[in-house]
Coordinates of all heavy atoms in Angstrom, one line a residue:
G195 N -4.3 6.3 22.8 CA -5.3 6.2 23.9 C -4.7 6.5 25.2 O -5.4 7.1 26.1
L252 N -3.1 4.1 15.5 CA -3.9 4.9 14.5 C -3.0 6.0 13.9 O -3.3 6.4 12.7 CB -5.1 5.5 15.2 CG -6.1 4.5 15.8 CD1 -7.2 5.3 16.5 CD2 -6.7 3.6 14.7
P449 N 20.3 23.6 2.9 CA 20.3 22.5 1.9 C 19.8 21.2 2.3 O 19.2 20.4 1.6 CB 21.7 22.5 1.4 CG 22.3 23.8 1.8 CD 21.6 24.2 3.0
A610 N -4.0 -26.4 -6.3 CA -3.1 -26.8 -7.3 C -2.4 -25.6 -7.9 O -3.0 -24.7 -8.4 CB -3.8 -27.6 -8.4
F635 N -13.5 -15.9 -11.8 CA -13.1 -17.4 -12.0 C -12.8 -17.6 -13.4 O -13.3 -16.9 -14.3 CB -14.3 -18.2 -11.5 CG -14.5 -18.3 -10.1 CD1 -15.3 -17.3 -9.4 CD2 -14.0 -19.3 -9.3 CE1 -15.5 -17.3 -8.1 CE2 -14.2 -19.3 -7.9 CZ -15.0 -18.3 -7.3
V670 N -8.7 -18.0 13.3 CA -7.4 -17.8 14.0 C -7.6 -17.9 15.5 O -8.5 -17.2 16.1 CB -6.8 -16.5 13.6 CG1 -5.4 -16.4 14.2 CG2 -6.7 -16.3 12.1
A726 N 12.2 -16.9 12.9 CA 13.5 -17.5 12.6 C 14.1 -18.3 13.8 O 14.6 -19.4 13.6 CB 14.5 -16.5 12.1
Y789 N 15.9 -11.5 -2.9 CA 16.1 -10.1 -3.1 C 16.9 -9.9 -4.4 O 17.7 -10.7 -4.8 CB 16.9 -9.5 -2.0 CG 16.2 -9.5 -0.6 CD1 16.6 -10.3 0.4 CD2 15.1 -8.7 -0.4 CE1 16.0 -10.4 1.6 CE2 14.4 -8.7 0.8 CZ 14.9 -9.5 1.8 OH 14.2 -9.6 3.0
V796 N 14.2 -0.1 -3.4 CA 13.6 0.9 -4.4 C 13.3 2.2 -3.6 O 13.7 3.3 -4.1 CB 12.3 0.3 -4.9 CG1 11.6 1.4 -5.8 CG2 12.5 -0.9 -5.7

Side-chain angles (χ1 to χ4, degrees):
L252 301 174
F635 290 84
V670 185
Y789 294 111
V796 175

